[in-house]
Amino acid sequence: MLETQNVSEMSEIGSRSPLIVMKFGGSCLLDSHAFRKISEISLLYSTSQKFYIASAFNGVTEKLVQLTLYAKSKDQSAVQEILNELKESHVSIIFELFNDFPVYEQEAIECLNSLIAELNKTLEKILEFGMEPYFSDYVISFGERISTFILHLYLQKEGLISHFFSGEELIITNDNYSNALPDLKCTIPRFQKRILPLISQSDQNSIICITGFIGRNKNGYTTTLGRGGSDFTATIVARSLFELLKTPLTIILWKDVQGILSADPNQVENPHLIKQMSYSEAKEMAFFGAKVLHPKCLSLIEDQKIEIQIRNFTRPFIKQEFSTISNVANDQVITGVSAIKEMAMVTVSSGLLVDVPGVLGRIFTLMGQNNINVSMVTQSSSEVNTTFIVESKDGDKSLHLFEEDSWFSHWFTFEKSLVGMIAVIGTDINLSKNKILIFQALEKVGVHALAVAQSSDGINLSLVVPSEKTQIVANAINEEFRRISIN
């Protein structure tokens, strides 16, 4: 049953935006109860043209990744076992959703069987010829194909008008398999050709269901969009529609969390829900450990000022209990504190090559050529030493690369240590009074920062501390600013 005291408010939210792009994650597609909630949400936005992006059912993508590994190792029995598990789990959901509706049940089963057959053919190619990147992406795309089609059929069963599209029909990407980026110049004309006629001809209350996570390159091979791929699909859809229609849009990402918290509750005590934040703040929070949203999702819609709401699917009708990302910044002193406990700090030093140009270029080239991501850099003004932060798994690898490089090994010395990195995020972090609060917090717990870096826009101040002190420092900073806000 709907929580009727909030129905009018939710309807008003929907009515202010004629186009709504909603993404439903795997936790929103668990069982018949969850699907009923989706149909209830649909009715609340009855005055809006709706686009639904769906993830795979819970655990399916992980099984598909296992499937590619077993196929690559030519373990045919393991491949068959996982295929059987996938078929059985989807058949179970289909029977639960379409009990007493044989027409929809049969259509869903036929789709499932067809996709399983296609999957089998691809796996046979892998077993015969070996793994290719486009084989892997095609196999992993199976989850969204079937989940979105089942959602589409369920909406029809509920009497709603629904249209189904696979991501390959609409989204053209580059050739970077498993982490593809959209080619908007090729994607937008596809929306113009396939989607705009449906918007102009159909009932305003119709729903267009699009598979999340999936696209295709110009050669026709299936590509996947990497981490946060279904969220990314939602922003690609919204950006494409905005470019064609120039009309207000809202993106709603339905998840199993309340929204974006000011800190990781596993690291910091008493984090609070961030109800409003800017795109820049959200990108910083996402990069430094807030896994709710990937930064790439925001880059496509920031300039267009397309609003994103992150809502809790288990409590969809509760007033104001969600996060909104727009061009309006958070009104608190700080937006959040993010902490990553295990990072590696690498220091490259040489007193002989002061003022020699190209040293930083050589460092970053060496890291880039070996797929090592540098999260933070500090350098002494004399250029005697350069310190940078990488993931802990890349620390020893970085050290080994320098030691094996004849130029670096001749002129430089190297050090590596395990550290933690803390990012303090907010629009006024660059103000002196706020920096004082941060270092007062460190002083209170007796910890000294090993390195400090500030973004040029003043939104992020990053601190490097001993790894074992990360949680203590994050809590101290959070408490210092909480004390100020209460007073």
Side-chain angles (χ1 to χ4, degrees), residues 201-335:
Q201 295 170 11
S202 66
D203 187 306
Q204 188 182 29
N205 191 31
S206 69
I207 300 166
I208 297 173
C209 294
I210 303 171
T211 57
F213 186 54
I214 308 171
R216 52 154 283 194
N217 63 15
K218 292 177 183 178
N219 293 323
Y221 291 112
T222 297
T223 56
T224 56
L225 303 176
R227 180 186 149 206
S230 292
D231 291 349
F232 199 19
T233 301
T235 60
I236 294 169
V237 170
R239 172 65 182 273
S240 299
L241 293 170
F242 180 86
E243 294 297 336
L244 291 169
L245 299 171
K246 303 297 182 184
T247 190
L249 288 114
T250 299
I251 300 171
I252 302 177
L253 306 179
W254 294 102
K255 295 178 178 281
D256 58 358
V257 294
Q258 193 176 7
I260 299 177
L261 298 179
S262 60
D264 182 348
N266 296 317
Q267 298 259 14
V268 175
E269 297 177 4
N270 303 316
H272 62 271
L273 176 69
I274 307 172
K275 295 184 178 180
Q276 177 66 56
M277 62 198 310
S278 68
Y279 301 107
S280 297
E281 290 171 316
K283 282 189 285 189
E284 292 289 344
M285 289 290 292
F287 181 80
F288 283 96
K291 305 298 185 185
V292 177
L293 185 65
H294 196 284
K296 66 186 179 185
C297 299
L298 298 164
S299 299
L300 278 184
I301 59 167
E302 181 176 0
D303 291 342
Q304 290 70 32
K305 296 181 173 58
I306 298 171
E307 179 182 283
I308 294 184
Q309 298 172 8
I310 298 173
R311 290 178 173 267
N312 189 339
F313 185 72
T314 62
R315 305 174 68 194
F317 315 117
I318 302 299
K319 182 179 180 180
Q320 292 299 313
E321 293 299 314
F322 57 89
S323 298
T324 298
I325 302 170
S326 68
N327 61 330
V328 179
N330 186 268
D331 60 2
Q332 299 297 310
V333 178
I334 65 168
T335 302

Side-chain angles (χ1 to χ4, degrees), residues 24-229:
F24 295 95
S27 59
C28 307
L29 305 167
L30 290 175
D31 50 29
S32 58
H33 175 72
F35 274 77
R36 280 198 300 274
K37 195 174 290 184
I38 293 175
S39 65
E40 290 172 348
I41 290 170
S42 302
L43 294 176
L44 288 174
Y45 291 87
S46 59
T47 60
S48 297
Q49 172 68 63
K50 295 172 287 299
F51 293 80
Y52 287 179
I53 315 300
S55 298
F57 295 138
N58 260 6
V60 168
T61 301
E62 289 80 1
K63 283 189 176 295
L64 291 167
V65 171
Q66 287 181 347
L67 196 57
T68 62
L69 295 176
Y70 286 132
K72 185 178 179 180
S73 64
K74 302 190 184 303
D75 189 339
Q76 296 190 37
S77 62
V79 166
Q80 195 57 51
E81 182 180 347
I82 291 183
L83 273 177
N84 291 338
E85 289 175 3
L86 286 168
K87 185 169 183 177
E88 288 172 10
S89 64
H90 284 90
V91 166
S92 177
I93 292 173
I94 290 169
F95 285 167
E96 181 181 359
L97 293 178
F98 301 113
N99 185 31
D100 297 330
F101 290 86
V103 173
Y104 293 108
E105 181 181 291
Q106 182 61 32
E107 191 171 355
I109 291 294
E110 287 176 0
C111 176
L112 175 63
N113 287 337
S114 175
L115 287 172
I116 289 286
E118 290 181 27
L119 199 53
N120 255 319
K121 289 180 182 178
T122 303
L123 292 168
E124 287 171 1
K125 292 177 183 177
I126 295 171
L127 290 166
E128 182 178 1
F129 304 118
M131 179 61 73
E132 296 289 347
Y134 46 83
F135 286 156
S136 176
D137 276 32
Y138 179 78
V139 171
I140 294 171
S141 73
F142 168 89
E144 279 74 14
R145 293 168 186 273
I146 186 61
S147 66
T148 309
F149 190 74
I150 289 173
L151 174 60
H152 156 70
L153 290 180
Y154 179 84
L155 295 170
Q156 288 189 335
K157 187 205 80 170
E158 293 293 294
L160 299 167
I161 301 169
S162 177
H163 308 275
F164 170 79
F165 288 89
S166 178
E168 295 104 322
E169 298 178 73
L170 300 170
I171 298 173
I172 306 301
T173 74
N174 62 9
D175 298 329
N176 191 17
Y177 294 101
S178 81
N179 196 25
L181 294 174
D183 182 335
L184 292 177
K185 289 183 179 179
C186 294
T187 297
I188 291 171
R190 288 183 163 240
F191 275 81
Q192 185 173 25
K193 182 178 180 180
R194 292 168 170 79
I195 300 301
L196 289 194
L198 292 177
I199 294 176
S200 61
Q201 295 170 11
S202 66
D203 187 306
Q204 188 182 29
N205 191 31
S206 69
I207 300 166
I208 297 173
C209 294
I210 303 171
T211 57
F213 186 54
I214 308 171
R216 52 154 283 194
N217 63 15
K218 292 177 183 178
N219 293 323
Y221 291 112
T222 297
T223 56
T224 56
L225 303 176
R227 180 186 149 206

Side-chain angles (χ1 to χ4, degrees), residues 431-480:
L431 297 181
S432 297
K433 63 179 182 179
N434 291 330
K435 291 179 184 176
I436 290 171
L437 290 174
I438 293 170
F439 287 100
Q440 279 180 350
L442 267 71
E443 186 67 25
K444 286 180 179 179
V445 293
V447 177
H448 298 291
L450 303 173
V452 180
Q454 178 185 304
S455 62
S456 60
D457 57 11
I459 286 178
N460 172 4
L461 183 72
S462 294
L463 308 167
V464 178
V465 298
S467 179
E468 69 276 9
K469 301 292 185 181
T470 306
Q471 192 166 345
I472 295 171
V473 173
N475 272 285
I477 294 172
N478 184 65
E479 182 59 29
E480 191 73 15

